[in-house]
Amino acid sequence: MMVDIDAGLVRGLVSGQFPQWRDLPVEPVPRQGWDNRTYRLGGELSVRLPSHEGYVAAVEKEDRCLPALAGHLPVPVPVPVATGRPAGGYPFPWSVRRWLTGETLESAADVDRFGLARDLGGFLTALRAAPAREGPACGRHSFFRGCHPSVYSDQVEQALEELKGVVDTAACAAVWAEALTTAWACPPVWFHGDIAAGNLLIADGALSAVIDFGTCGVGDPACDLVIAWTYFRGEERGVFRESAGLPDDAWRRARGWALWKALATMSGLSSPDPEGFQARVLPHILDDPVIA
């Protein structure tokens, strides 16, 4: 069950556990994520609270991993400065982080899309190069991002059955089959797990920060390429592909990840999508493999 979170609750948690910040104003950010709720705390801090028990594991993981990763990355990430405990009717641990400037990509205007494709690919390249020995192996905590996309084969098969007459099931099945013919043959590397427009911050038209590492881990980085279809268009995808520096087989698995999310959402097996975003993404997935 989702937990009700509001500014009053956040003020109470902060005041009770971090009195040095009790007088700072608390305001919700304009666009909230699904997994967590985020509040601005004064001018330099933010508070991040899991909305459901299923997202609690990310608090400890981010507390441990983000400080180690930050020094290896070309743009800022939300390094925690304090961790709160359950209290005042809120049942989960929560964290206080440095506020990062910028608007989310989904809200930003005048974005240099080709520059973003280049810079995001460079960020992912740097992330993969970070020392992975102490990173958490992909699995349930990452919602299986970083694993092989076949972990969701049952959902894809069920979705295709339910979407007969709605989508081109033969084309979808072909893309999925191609994704399953390859596997990551290198040592596990860091992946973010949710490279999406809501988790990229933009300032002056350029990438200024990457947030929400709740699904990060070490494994196969193909899942981080899905934004090629969910945001980039045409030649922008080519720039992103070149900058990301991954081989063709990774792009086949990435296309499978994108397909799974679109089908699972459209068939009601994943998070709700009242605006039909994934239905608009699906034609891009089917029409453009990104690789030749």
Side-chain angles (χ1 to χ4, degrees):
M1 184 176 67
M2 304 294 280
V3 176
D4 290 331
I5 300 170
D6 59 25
L9 172 68
V10 177
R11 288 190 194 97
L13 290 171
V14 171
S15 179
Q17 299 181 41
F18 303 108
Q20 68 272 33
W21 298 323
R22 65 163 46 131
D23 294 327
L24 296 178
V26 173
E27 298 290 342
V29 300
R31 295 182 69 91
Q32 294 286 352
W34 178 259
D35 302 356
N36 298 271
R37 302 292 179 263
T38 302
Y39 286 76
R40 187 88 180 258
L41 179 61
E44 298 182 358
L45 299 171
S46 65
V47 180
R48 177 175 162 90
L49 308 96
S51 62
H52 186 278
E53 184 178 8
Y55 308 121
V56 169
V59 176
E60 185 277 332
K61 179 171 63 173
E62 289 186 298
D63 282 358
R64 177 168 54 89
C65 297
L66 285 172
L69 284 173
H72 299 279
L73 301 174
V75 297
V77 296
V79 176
V81 297
T83 302
R85 63 184 183 278
Y90 181 73
F92 309 134
W94 49 282
S95 60
V96 180
R97 288 105 181 279
R98 294 293 177 195
W99 178 258
L100 298 175
T101 59
E103 297 180 274
T104 59
L105 176 59
E106 59 193 353
S107 303
D110 300 322
V111 177
D112 177 359
R113 295 175 64 99
F114 284 99
L116 175 63
R118 181 190 63 247
D119 293 346
L120 181 58
F123 172 87
L124 295 177
T125 300
L127 178 63
R128 296 197 309 272
R133 179 176 297 180
E134 302 301 324
C138 56
R140 188 172 299 277
H141 70 91
S142 65
F143 294 88
F144 301 104
R145 279 17 175 239
C147 299
H148 195 271
S150 60
V151 71
Y152 285 116
S153 285
D154 288 349
Q155 279 196 7
V156 170
E157 292 177 7
Q158 181 180 348
L160 287 176
E161 184 65 28
E162 294 184 9
L163 293 171
K164 282 183 177 178
V166 177
V167 304
D168 186 339
T169 54
C172 290
V175 169
W176 185 247
E178 190 172 62
L180 301 191
T181 62
T182 70
W184 182 247
C186 301
V189 296
W190 278 101
F191 60 87
H192 178 280
D194 192 14
I195 295 293
N199 294 331
L200 305 178
L201 298 187
I202 303 296
D204 298 323
L207 182 68
S208 62
V210 178
I211 62 174
D212 196 350
F213 282 70
T215 52
C216 75
V218 296
D220 176 4
C223 59
D224 281 346
L225 305 177
V226 168
I227 197 169
W229 295 277
T230 58
Y231 178 78
F232 293 121
R233 298 290 181 263
E235 293 180 2
E236 299 163 5
R237 294 187 185 119
V239 173
F240 179 53
R241 181 196 171 195
E242 183 69 22
S243 182
L246 284 168
D248 288 357
D249 68 289
W251 285 94
R252 294 186 181 96
R253 294 190 303 282
R255 197 179 179 204
W257 277 110
L259 179 73
W260 158 72
K261 185 62 174 179
L263 295 178
T265 301
M266 293 172 65
S267 61
L269 300 175
S270 186
S271 52
D273 185 17
E275 297 179 358
F277 173 75
Q278 291 293 342
R280 296 192 299 275
V281 167
L282 183 59
H284 295 287
I285 299 169
L286 297 180
D287 294 344
D288 188 356
V290 178
I291 59 177

